[in-house]
Amino acid sequence: MHTPKQSQIQILIQSPDLPIATRALTLNPNSTLRNLKLSLLPPQTLDSFFFTLHGKALHDSSTLQKSGINPLSTLVLRFRLPGGGGDGGATGAESRDCYLNMYAVKKPDKVDPNEQRLSKWTTCSLSFEPLRHPCVVDRLGNVFNKEALVEGLLGKKLPKAFGHIRGLKDMVPIELSVIPGLESDNGGVSAGARYQCPITGLEFNGKYRFFALKTCGHVLSAKALKEVKSSACLVCHEGFKEEDKIPINGSEEEVAALRERMEEERAKLREKKAKKVKNGEVGVNGDEDVYLDSRLSGKKHGIDAKAVGRVDAKMEKNGKAVNGGVVVKGEISGVKRLKAAQVPPNATKEVYASIFTSSRKSEFKETYMCRSLPLGRN
């Protein structure tokens, strides 16, 4: 029986404990991590090393797919420190029961805080792929690849943690400055940070605070904004206010303040819409009714709605249109009014008037369903 071919995924391998450069490998998602180590290390040293993903240790028997390893994820190969009992060292256990109780409860996996921090600042918060242009930031300071976030919105696959993102209005496009020498590294193969502050040169790796400006989208370090005090962007010189600064990957207090500000802005927007609905300016459905109302009133295309309304005005004998005291003579909204009395050349008045239904009295009766033909014509 023919089995379908598994799709290959590309991952990045780096190791701070071995003198090997970061490399990109294309593997089968069903291959185990032990087989991956066999392709990198001698067989006798396999038990001395283990893989971590975002600071979390991975078991050798698990496959790439079951471990949650996405394409372009970065695996870190680390050296396993000996000791802890069972290898001839002291365990501190006075009896066999005490020794077994040490392993009765499974201890949580150790997470490297430095690796977790670097992963948070260099990868997309949704797809965990390396950040690449174009990037966006939400109102709470999380950084995303725009393509991955838009796909999540269209497919309605956003996690509950990102439930506050409802559309494009909740995204702020940002401009990240690439570190000189890494401009051609589009795939993010290089280890460490790829972006920096364009003013101070501090790396975008989580060790320093950064802010995104809502007005222009440039990402600057807190040090640059503190040393050069200005109400304009230090890159494009576009003005901004204090509330236009969004802290990227901020602390819990900063995220709570941003969430409170977001709820206040949405409450004000709901009140504004409610007033418009009450005044009859907009329908109850919100933005869609605003758009439809602008189309129907002609505001979107710059048409004067008052002038269009004059079409329904009463006509006087002298050819003037009157509507509430407003008089339009000769034309409406720049369009001249055609008169049936103006007979084209080479045409008689009777022939020209016959094309207008108002030129003669109706000889047949119109009903709701259809027009009945006059006698003698059926």
Side-chain angles (χ1 to χ4, degrees), residues 242-351:
E242 188 66 23
E243 55 268 21
D244 294 332
K245 295 163 54 178
I246 301 178
I248 296 180
N249 295 328
S251 59
E252 295 182 359
E253 294 78 9
E254 291 175 331
V255 173
L258 290 174
R259 189 181 296 275
E260 183 178 358
R261 185 195 305 174
M262 178 183 63
E263 296 298 335
E264 291 178 356
E265 292 178 356
R266 289 180 174 176
K268 291 179 180 179
L269 184 60
R270 286 193 295 266
E271 293 178 0
K272 188 176 180 181
K273 288 182 180 180
K275 290 181 180 178
K276 288 185 177 181
V277 172
K278 186 176 181 180
N279 297 334
E281 299 177 10
V282 63
V284 295
N285 292 332
D287 294 340
E288 294 181 359
D289 293 326
V290 174
Y291 174 69
L292 292 176
D293 181 71
S294 65
R295 288 178 57 191
L296 296 176
S297 62
K299 294 179 181 179
K300 182 178 179 181
H301 301 285
I303 302 175
D304 189 0
K306 295 182 179 180
V308 175
R310 296 168 188 165
V311 176
D312 298 330
K314 296 180 179 180
M315 299 297 299
E316 292 183 344
K317 292 182 180 180
N318 56 2
K320 296 182 180 179
V322 182
N323 185 11
V326 181
V327 180
V328 180
K329 183 178 181 181
E331 59 182 37
I332 297 178
S333 299
V335 180
K336 293 184 178 181
R337 185 183 298 277
L338 297 177
K339 297 180 180 180
Q342 298 177 357
V343 181
N346 302 327
T348 62
K349 185 176 181 179
E350 291 76 10
V351 174

Side-chain angles (χ1 to χ4, degrees), residues 99-142:
Y99 177 77
L100 294 177
N101 289 334
M102 292 173 57
Y103 300 95
V105 180
K106 184 179 179 180
K107 297 181 180 179
D109 296 328
K110 294 183 179 180
V111 178
D112 186 359
N114 294 326
E115 185 178 346
Q116 190 176 22
R117 167 187 51 79
L118 185 61
S119 174
K120 185 176 182 180
W121 283 75
T122 57
T123 59
C124 172
S125 300
L126 180 62
S127 64
F128 300 106
E129 296 178 356
L131 292 175
R132 58 179 180 271
H133 183 79
C135 298
V136 295
V137 64
D138 64 0
R139 297 189 180 186
L140 301 185
N142 300 306

